[in-house]
Structures are given as C-alpha cells and as structure tokens.
Amino acid sequence: MAHQAVTQLTQKDYKAALQPVWCPGCGDFGVVAAIYQALAKLNLDPDRTMLVSGIGCSSRLPGYVNTYSFNAIHGRAIPIATGIKVANPELTVLAVGGDGDGFAIGTQHFVHAARRNVDITYVCMDNSIYGLTKGHVSPTTPTDEVTKTSPYGNIEAPMNPVLMALACGATFIARSFSAEVKTSVEVIAQAIEHPGFAFVHLISPCPVFRGRQQFDRVKERVRRTPEGFDFTKREQARAIAFEDPNEQITLGLIWRDQRAGYIARQQVIRGKAAAKGTPSYEGLLHSFIPDFGAVGAGR
Ligand code: SF4
C-alpha cells in the first residue's frame, strides 16, 4: 500500500534542486517530467518513496527527483530495489534505467524479478544505444543500424523487452514514448499502484547517438491500444508484443494479471511459520543482538 503525503503535493514538490545534465532533446527529459506528474497524481509521500538506478545516462534520473534514491552499480538496480522492498514493504519502490543497464548486464535480474513478481515498478528508458559510453550497440539496437561500433550495420537481432516481460511472468506490462507524457504519466501511476512486478517499457530516443530520425520513426509509428483491446487477455497482449516496430508501436497498458505479489505471498509464509512457532527473522536478530530495539521486540 503506497503511503500518501499529508498535504496535497504538486509535481514541483518532486523536483530536486539538481538540474538534469542530459543533452538537449534527450528523451529522458520527457520521462522525468512524467515521473514528477505520476508521483503528484498519486500524492506519494517523498519520505516513503525510493528510486533506484544502475549506470547510464537515464540512471541519473533518481538524482533529479525529490525522494530517497540509490544510484547503484551497472545492471543492479532491480536486485537492490528488490532488497529495499522486501526489507521495508511499506516503501513505494521504483527501479529505473536504460536498455544497456537492464537488458545486457542486468537481464537475469529482470527475469527473476518478473518471475518472483516482486512488488516494484521498473521503468526501462529504451534508447536502443549505450549513450553514456558514446554510442555503441545495445541489446535493443535494431538490426542493420549504423552506430559507432557497427559502422556497416548491426549484425545482431534486437531483444524485445515487452515479449520478454510477458514470457518471464511480469504481471503488469505497459509501453509509452517519452514524447507522449500524458500516456507515460497514466501508465507509470498504474504501475506504481499495481501489487506485483510492473514493467514500463518507455521508448526514450537519444538524438546524439541515434539521430533525429530515431525520434521521427517512433513518432510516426506509435498508436494507443485499439478500441476493444483487453489487457487481461494473454493472446491480445502477445499480439502486441509480437508486432513489428518498423510498422507499428502500441502504447498503453498491454497486460495485467492478478497473480499475488511477492510481498503478499511472503506475509502468508510468515503467518504459517509463526503459527508453527518458528521465530521470525526479526525475533532471531533480537535474540542475538538484544539492543536491536523495537524492531525485533515482541515479534
Ligand atoms: Fe540522452 Fe543520448 Fe545525451 Fe545520453 S547521450 S543524455 S541518452 S541524448
């Protein structure tokens, strides 16, 4: 359950004093604007909200948001966010980062967080390139794309993040585009409210290393989920996951499943263990460290 602020906050209240240093035209400006608005829409208490990132241009984002934050090491935003959430389930926890961070070195963490249905929101800002390290091929760079490390065209096939999320058991999957801030606010707010692993694939162009044409190509292909689309129907979600991004890119909520989240399942297990007289982790800790304090006492 997300904690709300005592007073009604506005998006300005979530802006940190630190100013973004992204290049002019970077899609990440649209993403951070959407995050400010989504947090304000839910009126989340900044003192009970946590943003975690890895390494990359987009991983600077938590520093620009007035909540608690943790800038982790490359590819490790998700396991650190998982630990934070499991240790303190009352926090609202978001992990953010780019396609290189999330789908190269961090792939295994994505797979297992989705499978476990950990109650965090993961926003992947996908620019299909490594921007911070100056423009080399990433796991989502399209085939034949010319980059600094593929001067004759990328020979690899790109990863499909939405299809992967579906295959790994994510219970909430949405997609947006950095220029579509209204859609981004809507899906990020829904993701935060979702009990379980919520994945937002947020296409966020890099004009410096993918050129203006990347933005233009996405802009002319995006559409909202069509009239009558049912995000609870797996075959409909699968059809969107398999669509060819060279022809069409569908934005909005793509898939939602009601499978119980990790925290709810953990509470059930704790209840079963307590009924059998098994000491809780906190109780054990207190027995070893009597000064541990009120956290362990009485459990
Ligand atoms: Fe954004 Fe690309 Fe600049 Fe990085 S290099 S800040 S992704 S425009």
Side-chain angles (χ1 to χ4, degrees), residues 97-257:
D99 43 292
D101 190 73
F103 294 118
I105 193 169
T107 317
Q108 75 276 30
H109 301 304
F110 180 87
V111 170
H112 294 293
R115 172 180 72 80
R116 292 174 178 137
N117 204 19
V118 181
D119 309 54
I120 61 173
T121 296
Y122 178 49
V123 179
C124 180
M125 290 169 260
D126 186 358
N127 58 11
S128 304
I129 199 82
Y130 281 90
L132 192 69
T133 43
K134 308 295 176 223
H136 60 94
V137 160
S138 91
T140 59
T141 305
T143 308
D144 296 331
E145 193 72 25
V146 172
T147 74
K148 286 200 174 173
T149 55
S150 58
Y152 304 106
N154 179 22
I155 61 171
E156 299 176 359
M159 192 175 265
N160 180 333
V162 166
L163 184 59
M164 191 162 108
L166 200 57
C168 294
T171 50
F172 179 106
I173 304 169
R175 182 159 50 209
S176 191
F177 172 39
S178 56
E180 301 276 346
V181 175
K182 199 170 155 210
T183 302
S184 302
V185 173
E186 181 188 315
V187 295
I188 292 170
Q190 288 173 330
I192 292 171
E193 289 191 306
H194 176 74
F197 185 75
F199 172 53
V200 179
H201 181 222
L202 224 156
I203 301 169
S204 180
C206 169
V208 171
F209 294 111
R210 291 291 312 280
R212 167 77 198 198
Q213 69 273 16
Q214 182 191 26
F215 177 92
D216 293 339
R217 280 195 304 222
V218 176
K219 180 84 182 154
E220 64 197 25
R221 282 162 199 165
V222 292
R223 63 155 191 173
R224 281 298 303 246
T225 47
E227 189 74 24
F229 174 76
D230 186 345
F231 53 75
T232 67
K233 297 275 187 288
R234 193 179 292 271
E235 62 279 10
Q236 293 191 25
R238 197 181 291 128
I240 286 181
F242 270 111
E243 70 189 6
D244 181 355
N246 292 316
E247 292 174 6
Q248 180 170 273
I249 301 169
T250 300
L251 309 182
L253 177 53
I254 296 169
W255 168 246
R256 192 162 73 196
D257 182 28

